[in-house]
Amino acid sequence: MVYYEHVTTPFIFGALLFFYYFSIPAAFILWFGRSYNYLRKGNFKLKRLALYLFIAFVITSLAAFKMVDIYLYLHSPMQEDTCLVSSCVLSSPQLSVYHIPPKEMRDYGVPAFGLMRVIRVYDVGTDELGLQRKMDYVAVLRPLVFLPVVEVNVYYVKGRTIVKRDRFYVTWPRSPGGVLSKNLGVSFTVIVLTPGGGGGGGV
């Protein structure tokens, strides 16, 4: 089961895939093309390369951040929250609506600052054996921005108590959906809105 009101469009997800996978190679290609004559003379224009890679890392990190958000948001009954500091995360309606004590989440550790997305995941997913598994956790996503990496913090919920926290990273060029599937034990695919208005399968 997924929450079909949270589906995305092929254009948005396709653009995110493009920026995620090709921003870093494009930075090298652009550097090489603009610096070719200098490279022949042994001047490697490393500052130029560093600038291009810095921009590419930011784009890649934000694209991965949004893709992970899309994957998880399909399994969320609520609107996700965007935060910049831990106090915002701990006061999120994602916790209060489901009576999850913020103190427990704080005790397990919450990222102190940075662009963060808080998503309450509550659904049933399918594992690699085709068996159904309950998905019951709060996810806090944070792009590391200056690196092509997204940090994923998962707080597992049992009843009204957080029982465990996992942290893992989506690192370029690994597939965001594949990383989520491996670490969370269910198959993550994105469902896109087809031109006719219905939901279609994705990657």
Side-chain angles (χ1 to χ4, degrees):
M1 183 183 84
V2 296
Y3 296 89
Y4 284 97
E5 65 271 25
H6 297 166
V7 299
T8 187
T9 67
F11 174 78
I12 291 175
F13 200 78
L16 291 170
L17 280 172
F18 177 84
F19 285 121
Y20 176 69
Y21 283 111
F22 295 109
S23 291
I24 293 175
F28 280 105
I29 293 170
L30 183 60
W31 165 75
F32 183 81
R34 293 199 60 192
S35 306
Y36 178 71
N37 290 330
Y38 295 99
L39 294 174
R40 293 174 60 189
K41 300 174 183 178
N43 183 352
F44 294 102
K45 290 291 182 180
L46 295 181
K47 289 184 179 179
R48 177 181 290 174
L49 175 60
L51 174 61
Y52 291 165
L53 284 177
F54 172 79
I55 295 171
F57 283 0
V58 171
I59 293 172
T60 301
S61 181
L62 292 176
F65 172 64
K66 184 58 182 175
M67 281 196 291
V68 173
D69 174 46
I70 287 173
Y71 280 118
L72 293 176
Y73 190 42
L74 283 170
H75 301 280
S76 174
M78 298 184 63
Q79 180 72 36
E80 76 266 69
D81 295 314
T82 301
C83 291
L84 295 176
V85 294
S86 60
S87 59
C88 170
V89 174
L90 296 172
S91 63
S92 168
Q94 310 286 328
L95 306 182
S96 58
V97 168
Y98 285 87
H99 307 287
I100 300 170
K103 181 182 182 302
E104 291 185 359
M105 197 164 171
R106 183 173 59 247
D107 291 344
Y108 275 99
V110 177
F113 62 89
L115 177 64
M116 291 180 276
R117 192 63 58 88
V118 186
I119 306 173
R120 176 69 169 104
V121 178
Y122 190 78
D123 202 353
V124 174
T126 304
D127 66 16
E128 60 183 7
L129 299 177
L131 302 175
Q132 289 192 330
R133 294 185 56 176
K134 187 176 181 181
M135 306 164 67
D136 190 0
Y137 44 82
V138 176
V140 178
L141 318 178
R142 182 174 67 158
L144 299 191
V145 182
F146 302 132
L147 295 172
V149 177
V150 175
E151 178 186 278
V152 183
N153 296 273
V154 180
Y155 302 84
Y156 291 89
V157 179
K158 186 174 183 180
R160 296 182 177 181
T161 303
I162 294 175
V163 295
K164 184 176 71 167
R165 173 204 182 187
D166 281 341
R167 176 191 290 166
F168 56 89
Y169 298 89
V170 176
T171 305
W172 184 87
R174 297 177 66 194
S175 162
V179 174
L180 290 176
S181 298
K182 178 181 178 180
N183 285 276
L184 297 176
V186 299
S187 177
F188 280 89
T189 58
V190 67
I191 295 177
V192 297
L193 191 64
T194 60
V203 295

